[in-house]
């Protein structure tokens, strides 16, 4: 199966410090891949490279349908079909949930286009579909700033999904959530993967264990190992990195 995303020998040099040291990674269609590792492992830097926020010193990022994208500008990468949600929710708190999604619909983003855009039946149906997917259909007319923390996170995920990406990057999506919210988010991520591949950076090992199928472990800017969570837990290098020899991850 051809991957939707391929990272080849990605290196990032920050004035002599290599944050990434030749990372190779494939993400496939309808896949939820978790990216884990200790602080400073290079996980967020890799997401930065994929979405164009940080330029790779060496290597290639190949995205299906667009070819090599690592030299492209951020907005062009987004237009090509890669969406990213950062850890802290970024929403318009004074607008309603519906209005937040309406502003995020994939369309021409010029000032004139936004001012003259009309809410046609197709756009409304798309918003209704996303509202149901993120379980905020009953909050559609509520100001976004009044939502619970988990609901704000789901709203921003919806704001990314409504742009119809082929790959969604999530950076610690369950940070600050309650147990119930975390579980709902796990199921939401797998539901999303039916239409859009998902790459998740996460530190919560219980969440990774419960909702992962494929895991990539990073350490000191390099990929340490890949596999199922069960396989990763038994890897001696991973055990050493996380907890010290003789102990198991999670």
């Amino acid at each position: 199966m051809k991957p939707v995303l391929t990272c080849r020998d990605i290196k990032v040099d920050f004035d002599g410090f290599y944050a990434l040291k030749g990372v190779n990674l494939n993400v496939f269609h309808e896949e939820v891949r978790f990216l884990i590792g200790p602080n400073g492992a290079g996980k967020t830097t890799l997401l930065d490279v994929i979405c164009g926020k940080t330029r790779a010193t060496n290597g290639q990022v190949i995205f299906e349908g667009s070819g090599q994208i690592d030299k492209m500008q951020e907005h062009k990468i987004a237009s090509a079909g890669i969406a990213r949600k950062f850890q802290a929710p970024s929403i318009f708190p004074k607008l309603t949930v519906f209005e937040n999604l309406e502003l995020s619909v994939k369309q021409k983003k010029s000032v004139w286009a936004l001012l003259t855009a009309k809410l046609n039946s197709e756009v409304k149906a798309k918003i209704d579909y996303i509202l149901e997917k993120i379980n905020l259909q009953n909050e559609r007319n509520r100001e976004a700033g009044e939502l619970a923390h988990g609901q704000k996170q789901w709203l921003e995920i919806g704001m990314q999904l409504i742009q119809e990406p082929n790959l969604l990057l999530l950076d610690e999506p369950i940070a600050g959530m309650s147990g119930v919210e975390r579980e709902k988010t796990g199921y939401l991520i797998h539901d999303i993967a039916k239409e859009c591949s998902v790459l998740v950076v996460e530190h919560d090992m219980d969440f990774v264990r419960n909702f992962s199928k494929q895991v990539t472990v990073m350490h000191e800017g390099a990929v340490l190992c890949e596999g199922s969570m069960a396989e990763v837990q038994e890897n001696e290098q991973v055990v050493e990195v996380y907890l010290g020899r003789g102990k198991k991850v999670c």
Side-chain angles (χ1 to χ4, degrees):
M1 182 187 299
K2 186 177 180 180
V4 64
L5 177 81
T6 298
C7 296
R8 295 177 180 166
D9 195 30
I10 300 297
K11 298 177 183 177
V12 173
D13 178 4
F14 292 128
D15 296 324
F17 169 74
Y18 274 89
L20 296 178
K21 303 174 182 177
V23 172
N24 294 295
L25 176 72
N26 289 317
V27 179
F28 294 89
H29 288 277
E30 299 183 4
E31 179 179 27
V32 176
R33 178 170 291 270
F34 280 82
L35 197 59
I36 68 173
N39 290 331
K43 306 180 298 296
T44 296
T45 301
L46 182 59
L47 294 194
D48 289 344
V49 170
I50 293 170
C51 73
K53 184 178 178 182
T54 295
R55 295 296 181 194
T57 307
N58 294 291
Q60 296 178 320
V61 179
I62 311 296
F63 187 56
E64 184 183 65
S66 299
Q68 188 173 344
I69 63 170
D70 48 274
K71 305 300 182 185
M72 291 169 58
Q73 295 177 312
E74 283 187 72
H75 71 277
K76 290 186 177 180
I77 293 175
S79 296
I82 297 180
R84 180 177 181 180
K85 184 202 173 304
F86 291 86
Q87 182 176 343
S90 179
I91 58 176
F92 301 100
K94 292 300 182 181
L95 298 181
T96 67
V97 169
F98 188 95
E99 290 168 338
N100 270 268
L101 292 172
E102 185 181 0
L103 280 177
S104 302
V105 173
K106 190 173 185 179
Q107 59 184 347
K108 293 180 180 179
K109 295 296 184 180
S110 68
V111 174
W112 178 250
L114 291 172
L115 289 174
T116 59
K118 293 182 179 180
L119 186 62
N120 59 40
S121 58
E122 182 180 353
V123 172
K124 186 178 182 299
K126 185 182 295 185
I127 294 174
D128 288 340
Y129 173 75
I130 295 297
L131 282 169
E132 184 175 358
K133 182 175 286 287
I134 61 176
N135 198 30
L136 291 179
Q137 60 269 47
N138 294 329
E139 310 292 343
R140 61 192 298 128
N141 296 319
R142 189 177 179 187
E143 284 191 4
E146 297 177 355
L147 297 174
H149 174 72
Q151 292 175 318
K152 291 177 181 176
Q153 299 279 40
W154 300 333
L155 174 57
E156 190 181 4
I157 290 175
M159 291 166 69
Q160 302 302 324
L161 290 180
I162 207 164
Q163 298 178 50
E164 302 175 337
N166 295 322
L167 174 65
L168 177 62
L169 310 178
L170 298 177
D171 199 346
E172 298 188 48
I174 63 167
M177 287 187 178
S178 68
V180 172
E181 289 173 336
R182 292 178 181 208
E183 186 174 12
K184 287 183 178 179
T185 301
Y187 288 120
L188 172 60
I189 289 171
H190 279 277
D191 187 39
I192 290 169
K194 297 174 184 177
E195 303 173 17
C196 167
S197 303
V198 187
L199 178 59
V200 188
V201 167
E202 188 50 65
H203 285 286
D204 189 305
M205 289 299 101
D206 286 333
F207 184 77
V208 176
R209 183 178 57 197
N210 290 333
F211 291 102
S212 68
K213 291 184 178 179
Q214 288 296 311
V215 177
T216 296
V217 185
M218 293 186 64
H219 178 54
E220 294 183 349
V223 172
L224 195 61
C225 72
E226 294 182 313
S228 69
M229 191 59 184
E231 292 169 336
V232 164
Q233 286 179 283
E234 296 299 324
N235 184 287
E236 291 187 4
Q237 289 180 300
V238 175
V239 173
E240 183 72 26
V241 164
Y242 268 96
L243 296 175
R245 189 169 298 279
K247 301 179 181 179
K248 289 186 177 182
V249 179
C250 305

